[in-house]
């Protein structure tokens, strides 16, 4: 349920309404929109009569039910206004959202050694990326495969961050590692395999760093938004949704089927910003550029692209990684496309 | 197997090589590329030694095996050159292919009456479409649902063709109707449900009109290309592939999952032109524009978009149809996008 | 809509009611159940008031709407009673249905030559099969693969029929072949790829031979029953549904995922008999016996099992074919299982 | 790689071979089969020459490579012999495995209160179940749905265990709860959503209680066995695999598509015991009995069935729960089926 306050409602009145609703046993959340303030209500609202709430204050414009199973994540909860996730990085704050330039995240699948991660960071930064991705802890199908360098990789990410000013995005697989990851990461990633690891969702929801929530391999849109809801409900409002390809019947040529239709669908359902990962989404470097361009044309807020200085020797996901040269070229193509969409930062530095 | 002839091979020598290969029991097809002529060979080539063929003529540059199960449809069969499908229409020939402007096909799901089909044709023509789509025979899940007006609808399509100069694309469901459909249609469509109706494929392959082959709901890329191969093998070289969404586990918000990754995948496998149908691909008018733009960004050669003068009253597929006004606006958006890709005809008339 | 007549309604009164309903523009179908007669009504019943129909005769017990999109195929249309499909064969009539013994259909994927088909027919007959399956016209993914021996194979099937007394089940792919197939076949099969070839469905519905309707690779239960409805609506009441595995995300070890849950689901939705094909359903001979037993335990009315005298040399589907020896052994296992279920003919001959 | 020792190899010699292989940097695991001892080797075996190992001892019969990506879970690793998981319960040890009676696990989705859990336990015990299932911690799509009573529910499970002598199976979602769950549970369950929560797999692998590993909603067989491999590799050899339905394109009538073909497939790949859960597998109580019977016919080692004293009032999964009366009846049906398969304990008590 949401309570839409009239334009110009006095701050004190908004507080009063919130306090009263709290006394009714609800959890009010104040959402400041462009023109109006909305008070989102979560709790046992089924039995409440909107008219009864309306009577609390003459400054209340209307009281509406959120029909979707996801409440805080729904577009209705913000009265139709999209939200932005602002991430502080060494080079300044970067905003993810519908009214901001497309944010490019790039880097290798795994952090392999200091040389490669710092070199890659410098290259992707020079090309216009704002964030470095790189796995310290890697979810691998086999227990015998390279599992990531763990804690020591975190230090290398910190070094790359310091050397370039890029923000860091890295995955947490085990709640026990969350604290040390959050010390280095600017955005904490929950991977596709853990999208419904509810214990982990609650924990990333209870800390401060923004969360990148990848869609599970066969997660419906509703399940994905409900997973986001777990994080929001635990108190962390900064969630970015990342589509990374779904599992279908035909995976002969691609590793996953990249579902770009999530872009208009999510736009009609949620205020949260959306990222597309065409690298995992296709699993082949040669298909990444076309899908990255398509994602921008369809309105993505962000892209995650795997870049490795030497894909053939990568410890993981080499086939889907671009070389730094190919990435440079792609960024030029993306710039043209994003400018048409009015979604490119004039100068890569300007946004900082 | 393909025989690549050297640049400047004399016409007579090419004929001689073809004749000799025919005597070996093979079916040679001459393919004239930009610089070279290639002779494609279909038949029992497994036991042949490429070196033995090489000896036929000093003008043979090389002899290569086509490893894919689809032969004539494969990119290798044309030595890496994409093909074009040229369709004569009252307004002149329209070319579908990688090196041509994006061709837009638009119109209603079904032909309902003369007024609506002629009106729609005029509107989509004015907006820049080159072809009118419209079903005379409709595949419907229920035997009790409207099955299309059949033969009388064909006459209405002919009238719309004459009134506007647009080419006509309409579906054949029953081989018994093929002849009368081909009298009106400039392109004959085989629908998703008949993609592996091999009897029908053979028959559309044995007539002259170009064929639009929609992907089956759960057809793999290989199965789709093999279906095209049936048409090519029957003698019709003019096949356009149309992606219209696949069946996945999550169809709550969309009717199908539009698989745009077919664009780079098909580009790496086949020389045939590709069309994207975001209307069936999503099933909801509000998602069509973003997916149409994405399709262009990913390199589609053509788009098929449902337009109806009054979607709310459409006899079929109303929810996924755009109004003519929305279509006008979309065409302007597509023009911007296609120009960035270098894929828009300078003037809608120029191509004729 | 159905009109349930009271127990003991005079034949003449039932006729009178039917005639009157026909005059109302409806298509009444008399269905004779164990205790009561039901008149099924198809047509524009949406606007009809059940009470109005009730008034036609005091012998009408009740008038009920069929809520499902499939009408004639629904269990409600027969007032909850399952139907049987009785197929005359040289050895006598064989009944498919819930209250009959499990009918086993066996034979090779394709008819290869007279020796093999007659030998196989004798072997499967001796083991207890009632029908011989064998493809004369084969749907093959590749136009270059063996397409079946066609008309000459039909003659061989006729020979095998005469030699053994078995009924014949063979597939029709092209309506043009229907007449000559129906001369030989006791049951005409529509394959998975043609499940929504509506032109073909209408034609098999307009002839007299019972139809075996295979489920499409990604057909929903509703679509499958609607396909059956096309046949029923065209006038042929004898439809057997055959599950043959669906397409899922994991086809590494199996060719399809056999969906045995269709058995209880269909039982709750339709009166039509059901067959399970574990050979196509798994694609591997070694998995067939366990799935055949499971199908019986779950209540199937019939089984279709591929048997080939020399699977390693089969022209098609060798890997999923049992040897005659393995089939003999399986029939013994099935007998034990079917007896527990009360679904085995005391003597293989007794049913004739 | 496995080292098969000759029949009658002296214990000391087996130890000597193991020790030597350990010195080579490998991790040998002694597996005692019916007739022979096999030493399984995990580690960097790619570069090893089997002949070189053969030379270690004349008691070595042969040295074979395990070609599958899963090693310890593969049937080859035990030289083709299936394993058993023996679980001590208050009523005695219960064995899961191919050569043992079918073990039935029953109980409610969630533990709701002491009365219902103890009552249900008594009822399912009386009907022949060996284990009580019941969720203390529940994975729920919505953060606002009932999440299970947690720690207090564990106490109630302990009470039901004491009251009936049944073993307890309950799910762990958070590694932080593992210790207290393992105090009560005889088998610890990892749910479908956590099948690739590798952090959790490592932790349940590092403790002593047997683990029930549910298949992920869209997990391939290989991924599932690799998840089991994580547990085995962490030192816990007692893993039971549980199929609970997969996600497909048609979930209109069922909640999941129960994939019974895993039974013959897993039998050919792994030595681990298999359980089938027809309750989650179909999501509807009325479909459970047929699928339970089919599972036994296809060779399952165990069944998990949801039973609730009042399904209509269940806090979760009511629609798929049987009443105790329906469960009593089902157990009689299962007994008949399992006896045919030679898989039923003569007296429910006898096995204890």
């Amino acid at each position: 349920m949401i309570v839409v306050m009239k334009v110009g409602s006095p701050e004190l009145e908004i507080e009063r309404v919130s306090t009263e609703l709290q006394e009714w046993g609800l959890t009010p959340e104040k959402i400041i929109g462009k023109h109006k303030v909305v008070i989102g209500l979560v709790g046992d609202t089924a039995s409440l009569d909107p008219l009864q709430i309306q009577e609390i204050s003459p400054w209340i414009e209307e009281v509406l039910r959120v029909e979707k199973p996801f409440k805080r994540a729904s577009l209705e909860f913000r009265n139709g206004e999209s939200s932005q996730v602002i991430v502080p990085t060494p080079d300044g704050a970067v905003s993810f959202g519908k009214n901001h330039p497309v944010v490019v995240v790039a880097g290798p699948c795994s952090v392999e050694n200091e040389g490669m991660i710092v070199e890659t960071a410098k290259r992707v930064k020079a090309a216009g990326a704002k964030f470095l991705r790189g796995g310290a802890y890697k979810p691998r199908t086999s227990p015998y495969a390279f599992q990531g360098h763990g804690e020591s990789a975190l230090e290398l990410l910190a070094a790359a961050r310091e050397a370039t000013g890029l923000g860091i995005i890295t995955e947490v697989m085990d709640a026990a590692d969350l604290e040390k990851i959050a010390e280095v990461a600017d955005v904490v990633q929950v991977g596709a395999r853990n999208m419904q690891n509810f214990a982990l969702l609650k924990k990333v929801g209870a800390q401060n760093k923004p969360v990148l929530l990848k869609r599970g391999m066969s997660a419906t849109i509703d399940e994905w938004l409900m997973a986001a809801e777990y994080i929001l409900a635990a108190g962390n409002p900064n969630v970015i949704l990342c589509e990374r390809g779904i599992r279908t019947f035909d995976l002969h040529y691609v590793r996953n089927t990249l579902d770009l239709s999530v872009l208009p669908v999510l736009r009609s359902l949620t205020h949260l910003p959306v990222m597309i990962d065409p690298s995992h989404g296709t699993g082949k470097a040669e298909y990444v550029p076309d899908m990255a361009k398509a994602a921008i044309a369809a309105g993505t807020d962000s892209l995650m692209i795997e870049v490795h200085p030497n894909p053939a020797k990568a410890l993981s996901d080499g086939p889907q990684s671009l070389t730094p040269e190919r990435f440079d070229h792609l960024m030029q193509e993306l710039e043209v496309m994003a400018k048409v969409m009015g979604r490119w930062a004039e100068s890569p530095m300007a946004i900082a």
Side-chain angles (χ1 to χ4, degrees), chain A:
Chain A
M1 222 170 215
I2 62 166
V3 178
V4 184
M5 302 300 293
K6 288 183 184 161
V7 175
S9 292
E11 186 59 29
L12 227 68
E13 184 67 5
I14 296 171
E15 289 310 314
R16 197 184 62 78
V17 171
S18 287
T19 309
E20 180 146 354
L21 290 166
Q22 213 156 3
E23 282 163 10
W24 293 22
L26 301 167
T27 312
E29 277 182 34
K30 194 171 80 173
I31 300 150
I32 301 171
K34 263 194 197 150
H35 307 294
K36 294 175 192 171
V37 166
V38 168
I39 302 171
L41 295 178
V42 181
D44 188 13
T45 60
S47 58
L48 284 181
D49 179 359
L51 291 178
Q52 202 183 348
I53 294 177
Q54 188 97 40
E55 282 169 17
I56 297 178
S57 160
W59 285 98
I60 292 177
E61 188 174 297
E62 54 181 346
V63 180
L64 302 166
R65 278 199 192 283
V66 176
E67 303 292 346
K68 299 284 189 309
F70 37 93
K71 305 295 174 191
R72 290 169 168 99
S74 76
L75 193 55
E76 297 148 271
F77 199 73
R78 295 183 69 92
N79 205 24
E81 252 181 60
S82 66
S83 65
Q84 54 185 356
V85 171
I86 304 170
V87 186
T89 73
D91 268 3
V94 179
S95 297
F96 294 79
K98 192 183 159 189
N99 302 312
H100 294 276
V102 172
V103 178
V104 178
V105 178
C109 179
S110 331
V111 177
E112 298 177 6
N113 57 60
E114 182 158 1
M116 74 80 78
I117 195 68
V118 173
E119 181 200 334
T120 310
K122 286 179 177 167
R123 292 298 300 264
V124 303
K125 158 102 181 198
K130 295 285 168 219
F131 286 86
L132 177 70
R133 62 149 288 150
Y137 301 89
K138 297 298 309 168
R140 301 305 298 276
T141 303
S142 168
Y144 311 124
F146 172 58
Q147 309 270 315
H149 287 311
E151 212 162 334
S152 67
L154 292 177
E155 287 167 32
L156 303 183
L157 285 170
R161 186 175 187 269
E162 199 172 302
T164 59
L166 289 173
I168 299 294
I169 300 187
T170 197
E171 180 169 351
V172 59
M173 292 173 59
D174 189 340
D177 302 322
L178 181 54
E179 204 173 329
K180 57 179 180 277
I181 289 171
E183 270 171 39
V184 169
D186 299 288
V187 176
V188 171
Q189 176 180 319
V190 174
R193 289 167 188 80
N194 282 315
M195 194 203 84
Q196 288 194 318
N197 176 346
F198 300 121
L200 186 61
L201 295 178
K202 287 175 183 173
K203 279 161 196 161
V204 296
Q207 54 89 52
N208 291 324
K209 289 290 169 79
V211 178
L212 181 67
L213 180 65
K214 290 208 154 189
R215 181 183 186 183
M217 280 176 205
S218 67
T220 63
I221 299 267
D222 280 347
E223 287 170 342
W224 190 14
L225 288 173
M226 291 307 280
E229 190 81 8
Y230 263 93
I231 302 170
L232 299 173
N236 189 337
N238 295 308
V239 176
I240 302 161
L241 300 166
C242 182
E243 158 70 23
R244 42 78 72 205
I246 55 173
R247 186 155 274 187
T248 67
F249 58 84
D250 188 14
L251 303 174
H252 184 179
Y253 297 105
V254 287
R255 189 174 169 191
N256 296 291
T257 296
L258 187 66
D259 180 8
L260 289 180
S261 69
V262 298
L263 287 163
V265 173
L266 288 176
R267 212 58 105 192
S268 70
L269 296 174
T270 183
H271 56 84
L272 297 172
V274 185
M275 183 188 288
I276 300 288
D277 173 352
S279 302
H280 283 89
T282 63
K284 259 195 211 156
E286 69 175 298
Y287 304 149
V288 168
D290 283 349
M291 291 297 99
K293 282 185 277 181
I296 289 182
T300 193
D301 302 321
S302 179
L303 282 168
M304 174 174 269
I305 291 169
E306 291 202 354
V307 177
H308 191 283
N310 189 347
K313 299 211 169 161
L315 292 182
S316 56
D317 284 353
Q320 72 197 32
S321 297
L322 300 184
T323 59
E325 293 70 34
R326 186 68 192 84
F327 180 68
D328 284 346
H329 180 59
L330 175 59
M331 286 297 279
Q332 291 160 22
E333 297 179 285
L334 296 184
E335 178 170 355
V336 174
M337 192 61 62
K339 278 184 171 164
V340 169
M341 302 289 294
R343 300 285 301 271
W344 199 253
E346 264 326 292
S347 140
M349 291 301 102
I351 209 171

